[in-house]
């Protein structure tokens, strides 16, 4: 969260579209709009939840729910159409992945390519805990009991002395 | 003329930094007092020179000197004065100059407040600090010169990114940099300790104030950034797991771990090499954050103007600093003597658990941030890692951390019994379970997880209060005795209680806002009405207003409750004329228990305007909690033992042979 | 010895990470690139009304004619589309390429006026007014261009304007190879 600015890196991206997207990206007015919303509140709530888990493909780390981009609007509408047609949440996600790939999921699927992403941190936790336990145990066995600290000795004296 | 003066001061600063980065090191190795003493003089000189350079650039901004490229690119004469000043660091070059300035100021602070340090340690710390400074000053001068001139000077500038023309974001970078750069001192202490080959309780006590200060500023910086996102982005979110946010969270996590592990070094002379490693990592992660934001390797809403060439430089610098530090670590750390022994269930054990979990959290954030890049390079597959991933991985890991957080302070050093500690906390346990049950039953029966998380927030607050009450033996001994104990409680302990409890407020605010906010999105014409949580909201009018450098549409929303007027909300949509960018100005009414939050969307008189209303329960607690957390750090910073050096008993024990003679007694002044 | 190796672990992790970051910078990886899952798959459904009055609607049959087809999404409001337009005109006239143009989120009269002004390289032109077809094609914006072989399989997907280099390096060889 440092200073936002328009990246001056262009490559083969669409300058104009990117600018338009960036200009709109911070304007909240054009995310989910009343006209898009479903009548059925339960279905609309599902649509919102799904929308927050789908990435706007032309934005920078925004969900389609938060995005003003044209394609995000289309995707929101498609989500609602699929839901209205009776699709399950997973079917809607599959529908989007078939068109935009795993990229569109803000929570990457658990598969071979993302194994390390999902299991990396738990693995670190597991290995480190094991290493710490072993180290503590070894040192406890190898080393003589620690000598009393000054405070403890003092306390012992005061206890013995009554 | 003045810009040239600034440029010249910057060049001189680089020369001074080079001297400061080398001669004191030689002096420390040879035991040459004069060379070592050079460190302090050079540090003060360097700080003065960078300050002159910074003042020169500020002057160019304030007077709108459009012969300076940087001013043309990032300022405009019609901008309010305060944003002309904050505009100095609202761009790549200027913000790097701010980095260098803060770095030099921290160096000067070490020179001024480090009178109680042994001479060799101070000389080495200042030299390492200067070597880091050399890197940044060279970066500025050779790749990002803020004083570059332009001829002929254009009549006016391009203006500052409107998003930055906002009090929250204007002061977010300085705070963040105070945090990032503050960790450079910790890093310098770690490297100096490795060079000296000794890490002991005295060292831990010297490092502590710097770590604490850096941590407090970083906490405030992150909180300010999150608050900004909350009120500017317009949909009530406050943390988006964006790479740039993650970049600031990683050093914070490492710094928090460092604060805790350094306590073990200080009290028990254990965990030494681990603490040194954390000190190196906290600063390395700060540099990594800088790299990620400026190199363009990742996309982010918040990224700076990005440039791969600069990216390569920062990466090289990152490798030099981190790699150098870690190589020295691999070489010298194994020689550090192992510290005191302890049982798994003990204060040390609890702090190790804290470190283990905090570091796992940092690894989670690091993997999540960089994995898309790794996978793309290796396989060409594109994936996105966003909030749902972190909610599924980061958040569950917080549970054991929070659970253990309240128990730790009840455990004694070396060996302790778990059960007595837990029985002391039974009140906190029952209160938090009750809170979770009430939350689940009354507020929201759908999200059990939110209710559990809410219970954890309550646990942190009540657990901290119980810990403090037991410390002063409240209600167990007569009142005057408790009061006496309260007065005798070290500030560090008070600070800990505040910071731990404050974390509870952050949790409560985040959970309540995230899970239980209410939202109404409607198209209203003037005179039309909608409802949110007992409030009637009427759109009275939408009018055009003229700002200093923008034009805006402003809606006036009259809020009534039970028929009586309650408040008026005036959200705006501003169009910044120079940059042709639209920014939403949300209107927030808060009573510290909830925010009533309104934004104005697109529309016209015929179709009406899109109005979004949110009721965010406990939202203010997120930032109040974070501020309180930092306050806890500052209270701890004011602890007597950090102000006046080592207490006598400790000095007798640690100042053995091999300790180079430094004055370590109470400082006058 | 293993203890010493343990102390080298942080350095090794840094080397790994720094290696990736350097690789990313040197390779000029575009972090905004989103890739395409369309390549190698049968072209998505096509069922559009024609942009030009009197033309027949566009259907899947166009894409399975045995000849390679270029499908180009454009819009009259899109500035980068202006940049690539002459390349398509040349491809149609000089190389005889079959180009299907689809106006995306465009008022038909505006799209027609745009083509009237700049020249019309499209053998078939359709209108995707609501963006539904674009969504089926995994479109992220305009302009985007797909190369489809004679059997109806998508072989290339360009996001953003096609460049001169793309034409000589990819499009022309593609058209020649399949004829």
């Amino acid at each position: 969260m440092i200073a936002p600015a328009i990246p001056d890196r262009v490559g083969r991206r669409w300058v104009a579209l990117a600018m338009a997207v960036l200009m709109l990206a911070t304007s909240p007015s054009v995310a989910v709009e009343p006209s898009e919303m479903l009548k059925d509140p339960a279905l609309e709530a599902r649509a919102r939840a799904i929308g927050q888990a789908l990435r706007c493909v032309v934005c920078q780390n925004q969900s389609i729910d938060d995005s003003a981009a044209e394609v995000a609007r289309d995707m929101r509408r498609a989500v609602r159409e699929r839901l209205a047609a009776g699709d399950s949440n997973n079917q809607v996600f599959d529908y989007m992945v078939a068109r935009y790939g795993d990229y569109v999921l803000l929570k990457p699927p658990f598969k071979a390519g993302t194994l390390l992403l999902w299991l990396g941190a738990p693995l670190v936790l597991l290995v480190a805990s094991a290493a710490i336990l072993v180290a503590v145990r070894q040192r406890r066995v190898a080393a003589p009991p620690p000598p009393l600290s000054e405070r403890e000795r003092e306390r012992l004296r005061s206890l013995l002395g009554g | 003329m003045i810009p040239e003066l600034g440029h010249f001061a910057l060049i001189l600063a680089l020369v001074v930094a080079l001297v400061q980065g080398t001669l004191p090191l030689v002096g420390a190795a040879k035991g040459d007092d004069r060379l070592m003493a050079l460190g302090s003089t050079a540090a003060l000189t360097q700080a003065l020179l960078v300050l002159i350079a910074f003042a020169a650039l500020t002057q160019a901004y304030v007077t709108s000197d459009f012969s300076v490229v940087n001013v043309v690119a990032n300022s405009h004469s019609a901008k309010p004065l305060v944003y002309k000043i904050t505009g100095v660091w609202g761009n790549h070059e200027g913000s790097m100059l701010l980095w260098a300035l803060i770095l030099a100021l921290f160096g000067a602070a070490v020179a001024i407040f480090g009178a109680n340090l042994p001479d060799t340690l101070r000389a080495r710390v200042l030299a390492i600090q200067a070597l880091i400074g050399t890197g940044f000053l060279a970066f500025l001068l050779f790749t990002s010169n803020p004083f570059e001139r332009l001829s002929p000077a254009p009549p006016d500038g391009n203006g500052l990114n409107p998003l930055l023309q906002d009090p929250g974001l204007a002061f977010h970078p300085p705070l963040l940099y105070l945090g990032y750069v503050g960790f450079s001192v910790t890093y310098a202490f770690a490297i100096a300790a490795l060079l000296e080959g000794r890490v002991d309780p005295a060292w831990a006590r010297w490092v502590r104030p710097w770590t604490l200060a850096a941590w407090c500023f970083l906490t405030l910086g992150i909180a300010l950034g999150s608050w900004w996102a909350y009120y500017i982005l317009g949909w009530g979110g406050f943390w988006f797991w964006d790479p740039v946010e993650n970049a600031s969270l990683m050093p914070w996590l490492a710094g928090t771990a460092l604060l805790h592990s350094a306590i073990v070094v200080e009290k028990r002379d254990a965990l030494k090499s681990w603490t040194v490693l954390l000190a190196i990592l906290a600063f390395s992660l700060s540099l990594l954050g800088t790299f990620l934001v400026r190199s363009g390797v990742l996309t982010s809403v918040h990224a700076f103007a990005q440039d791969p060439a600069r990216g390569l430089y920062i990466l090289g610098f990152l490798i030099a600093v981190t790699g150098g530090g870690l190589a020295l670590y691999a070489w010298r750390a194994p020689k550090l003597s192992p510290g005191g022994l302890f049982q798994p269930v003990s204060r040390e054990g609890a702090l190790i658990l804290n470190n283990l979990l905090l570091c796992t959290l940092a690894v989670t954030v690091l993997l999540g941030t960089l994995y898309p890049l790794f996978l793309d390079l290796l396989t060409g597959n594109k994936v996105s890692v966003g909030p749902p991933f972190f909610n599924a991985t980061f958040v569950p890991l917080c549970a054991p951390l929070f659970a253990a957080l309240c128990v730790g302070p009840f455990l004694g050093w070396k060996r302790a019994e778990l059960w007595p500690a837990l029985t002391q906390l039974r009140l906190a346990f029952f209160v938090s379970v009750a809170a979770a049950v009430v939350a689940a039953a009354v507020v929201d029966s759908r999200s059990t997880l939110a209710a559990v998380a809410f219970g954890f927030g309550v646990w942190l607050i009540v657990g901290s209060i119980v810990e403090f009450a037991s410390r002063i033996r409240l209600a167990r001994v007569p009142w005057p005795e408790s009061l006496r104990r309260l007065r005798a409680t070290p500030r560090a302990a008070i600070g800990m209680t505040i910071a731990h409890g404050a974390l509870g407020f952050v949790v409560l605010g985040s959970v309540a806002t995230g899970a239980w906010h209410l939202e109404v999105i409607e198209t209203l014409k003037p005179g039309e009405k909608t409802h949110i949580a007992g409030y009637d909201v009427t759109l009275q009018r939408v009018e055009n207003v003229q700002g200093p450098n923008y034009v805006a549409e402003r809606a006036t929303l009259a809020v009534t409750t039970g028929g009586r007027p309650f408040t008026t909300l005036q959200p705006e949509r501003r169009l910044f004329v120079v940059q042709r960018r639209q920014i939403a100005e949300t209107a927030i009414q808060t009573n510290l228990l909830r925010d009533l939050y309104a934004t104005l969307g697109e529309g016209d008189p015929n179709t009406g305007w899109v109005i979004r209303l949110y009721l965010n329960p406990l939202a203010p607690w997120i930032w109040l909690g974070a501020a309180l957390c930092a306050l806890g750090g500052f209270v701890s910073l004011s602890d007597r033992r950090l102000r006046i050096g080592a207490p006598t008993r400790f000095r007798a024990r640690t100042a053995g042979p091999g300790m180079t003679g430094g004055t370590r007694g109470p400082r006058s002044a | 010895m293993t203890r010493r190796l343990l102390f080298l672990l942080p350095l090794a992790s840094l080397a790994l990470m720094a290696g990736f970051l350097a690789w990313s910078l040197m390779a000029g990886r575009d972090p905004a690139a989103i890739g395409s899952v369309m390549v190698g798959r049968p072209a998505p459904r096509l069922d559009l009304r024609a942009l030009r009055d009197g033309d027949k609607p566009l259907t899947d049959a166009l894409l399975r004619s045995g000849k390679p087809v270029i499908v180009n999404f454009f819009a009259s409001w899109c500035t980068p589309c202006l940049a690539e337009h002459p390349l398509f005109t040349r491809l149609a006239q000089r190389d005889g390429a079959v180009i299907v143009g689809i106006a995306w989120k465009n008022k038909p009269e505006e799209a027609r006026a745009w083509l009237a002004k700049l020249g019309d390289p499209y053998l078939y032109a359709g209108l995707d007014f609501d963006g539904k077809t674009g969504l089926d094609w995994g479109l992220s914006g305009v302009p985007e261009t797909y190369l489809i072989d004679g059997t109806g399989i998508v072989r290339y997907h360009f996001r953003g304007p096609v460049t001169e280099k793309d034409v000589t390096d990819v499009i022309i060889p593609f058209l020649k190879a399949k004829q």
Side-chain angles (χ1 to χ4, degrees), chain C residues 13-25:
Chain C
S13 318
L14 170 77
L16 191 70
M17 190 185 74
F20 270 107
L21 293 177
W23 181 7
S24 174
L25 280 179

Side-chain angles (χ1 to χ4, degrees), chain A residues 1-5 8 23 28-29 32 34 48 55 60-61 66 103 105-106 108 113 117 121 125 128 139-140 143 152, chain B residues 161 172 225 235 243-245 299-304 306 339 341 360 364 371 384 386 414 519 523 580 584 601-602 612:
Chain A
M1 10 197 66
I2 313 223
D8 54 20
M23 277 164 75
S29 51
V32 180
R48 296 299 297 276
R55 179 172 185 167
Q60 307 188 336
N61 303 318
D66 302 333
Y103 182 87
L105 302 174
L106 282 167
L117 172 68
L125 185 65
R139 282 187 54 196
R140 218 175 354 148
E152 282 170 326
Chain B
N161 182 341
H172 161 65
W235 59 90
V244 174
E245 291 172 331
T299 57
S300 157
V301 193
H302 309 277
F304 263 101
Q306 296 165 338
L341 294 167
T360 310
T364 307
Y371 202 84
S384 302
K414 293 208 286 193
E519 177 192 69
T523 310
R580 306 183 60 185
E602 289 191 341
R612 314 175 129 236

Side-chain angles (χ1 to χ4, degrees), chain B residues 549-560:
Chain B
N549 52 349
Y550 60 84
V551 289
E553 262 187 323
R554 178 194 289 161
T556 302
L557 297 161
V559 184
T560 59

Side-chain angles (χ1 to χ4, degrees), chain A residues 1-9 22-35 37 45 48 52-55 59-63 65-67 73 100-109 111-129 132-133 136-137 139-140 143-152 154, chain B residues 90 161 163-164 169 172 176-177 180 222 225-226 228-229 232-235 240 242-245 248 293-294 296 299-308 338-344 352 356-357 360 363-364 367-368 371 375 382-389 392-393 397 414-415 519 521-523 573 580-584 599-602 610 612 649 653:
Chain A
M1 10 197 66
I2 313 223
I6 299 169
D8 54 20
R9 188 181 150 83
L22 273 171
M23 277 164 75
L24 295 170
T26 45
S27 164
S29 51
V30 261
V32 180
E33 280 185 53
S35 57
M37 291 157 79
R48 296 299 297 276
Q52 278 158 18
L54 288 174
R55 179 172 185 167
C59 315
Q60 307 188 336
N61 303 318
Q62 277 182 314
S63 71
D65 227 37
D66 302 333
S67 168
R73 187 195 305 244
Y100 294 100
D102 288 342
Y103 182 87
V104 81
L105 302 174
L106 282 167
K107 182 162 134 187
K111 53 196 212 184
T114 59
L115 218 55
L116 199 61
L117 172 68
W118 281 102
L119 298 182
L123 211 65
V124 166
L125 185 65
L126 219 65
V127 170
S129 328
I132 291 169
L133 275 181
V136 169
R137 239 158 236 264
R139 282 187 54 196
R140 218 175 354 148
L148 294 179
S149 75
E150 207 148 317
R151 194 184 297 165
E152 282 170 326
E154 219 163 297
Chain B
N161 182 341
L163 280 177
L164 298 181
L169 208 57
H172 161 65
L176 207 58
Y177 295 172
Y180 283 172
I222 295 174
S226 146
W228 169 81
I232 204 86
L233 295 182
W235 59 90
F240 301 90
D242 182 87
V244 174
E245 291 172 331
S248 64
V293 178
R294 289 164 202 265
T299 57
S300 157
V301 193
H302 309 277
F304 263 101
Q306 296 165 338
D307 178 347
L341 294 167
F342 51 86
Q343 301 280 327
I352 288 181
L356 186 65
L357 292 167
T360 310
V363 170
T364 307
L367 264 181
Y371 202 84
L375 192 69
K382 317 268 184 196
V383 289
S384 302
V385 179
F389 170 81
T393 54
L397 269 173
K414 293 208 286 193
R415 50 179 176 268
E519 177 192 69
I521 306 175
E522 269 192 59
T523 310
R573 251 155 39 96
R580 306 183 60 185
R581 275 188 80 170
Q582 253 183 24
I583 302 290
T599 63
L600 172 65
E602 289 191 341
V610 177
R612 314 175 129 236
R649 189 169 58 82
R653 232 180 43 186

Side-chain angles (χ1 to χ4, degrees), chain B residues 27-363:
Chain B
K30 289 191 174 167
D32 185 328
D33 285 342
R34 278 183 319 170
L35 286 183
M36 283 196 276
L38 203 61
S40 296
T41 323
L44 294 171
T45 317
Q46 192 204 334
L48 187 68
L49 287 167
V50 184
L51 198 60
I52 291 173
F54 192 80
L57 187 62
T58 310
Q59 199 265 355
Y61 267 86
V62 171
T63 60
S64 293
D65 181 351
F66 293 123
S67 69
V68 177
V69 176
N70 196 251
V71 180
V72 177
N74 300 293
S75 196
H76 189 275
S77 54
K79 209 166 56 169
L81 178 65
V82 59
Y83 295 128
K84 282 183 183 164
I85 296 173
T86 63
V88 174
W89 57 77
N91 60 84
H92 167 74
E93 289 83 0
S95 65
M96 277 286 107
L97 185 58
L98 182 66
W99 244 97
L101 176 67
I102 294 176
L103 194 65
L105 289 178
F106 266 110
V110 172
I112 294 168
F113 298 110
N116 60 341
L117 299 180
D119 290 344
T120 52
L121 185 66
R122 185 177 55 239
R124 285 182 167 126
V125 168
L126 286 173
I128 308 296
Q129 187 79 6
L131 287 176
I132 300 169
T134 308
F136 275 100
L137 290 169
F139 180 49
L140 269 167
L141 285 168
F142 298 128
T143 74
S144 323
N145 180 10
F147 297 106
E148 208 170 283
R149 290 279 200 170
L150 182 67
S151 182
D156 216 326
N158 302 339
L160 177 67
N161 182 341
L163 280 177
L164 298 181
Q165 300 190 33
D166 174 279
L169 208 57
F171 297 101
H172 161 65
L175 281 172
L176 207 58
Y177 295 172
L178 278 168
Y180 283 172
V181 178
F183 283 128
S184 73
V185 182
T186 321
Y187 170 87
F189 266 99
I191 300 299
L194 286 173
L195 288 174
E196 305 226 315
R198 65 180 299 151
V199 176
D200 55 20
W203 177 84
R205 203 170 311 114
W206 289 321
V207 180
R208 186 164 184 80
W210 303 103
T211 319
L212 260 176
W215 181 87
C216 291
F217 287 125
L218 190 56
T219 307
L220 287 176
I222 295 174
L224 197 60
S226 146
W227 183 51
W228 169 81
Y230 172 73
Y231 70 68
I232 204 86
L233 295 182
W235 59 90
F238 53 93
W239 190 262
F240 301 90
W241 297 104
D242 182 87
V244 174
E245 291 172 331
N246 294 349
S248 64
L249 186 60
M250 287 187 279
W252 188 87
L253 290 166
T256 311
L258 172 62
L259 272 180
H260 290 88
S261 79
I263 297 174
V264 182
V265 181
E266 187 181 334
K267 303 280 190 203
R268 295 282 303 134
D269 202 18
L271 287 194
K272 291 190 278 195
S273 61
W274 171 246
T275 302
V276 168
L277 178 63
L278 276 180
I280 297 174
L281 289 183
F283 184 56
S284 304
L285 289 169
S286 301
L287 285 179
L288 178 68
T290 308
F291 169 79
L292 292 180
V293 178
R294 289 164 202 265
S295 64
V297 292
L298 299 173
T299 57
S300 157
V301 193
H302 309 277
F304 263 101
Q306 296 165 338
D307 178 347
R310 287 174 189 160
L312 273 179
Y313 185 100
I314 305 182
L315 184 62
F317 187 66
L318 173 82
I319 292 171
V321 172
T322 313
L326 291 178
L328 188 67
Y329 175 81
W331 176 37
R332 300 298 294 260
K335 297 197 182 76
L336 293 174
S337 63
L341 294 167
F342 51 86
Q343 301 280 327
V345 178
S346 62
R347 181 74 69 85
E348 291 95 321
L351 288 168
I352 288 181
L353 181 64
N354 151 301
N355 269 233
L356 186 65
L357 292 167
L358 281 171
C359 290
T360 310
L361 288 175
V363 170

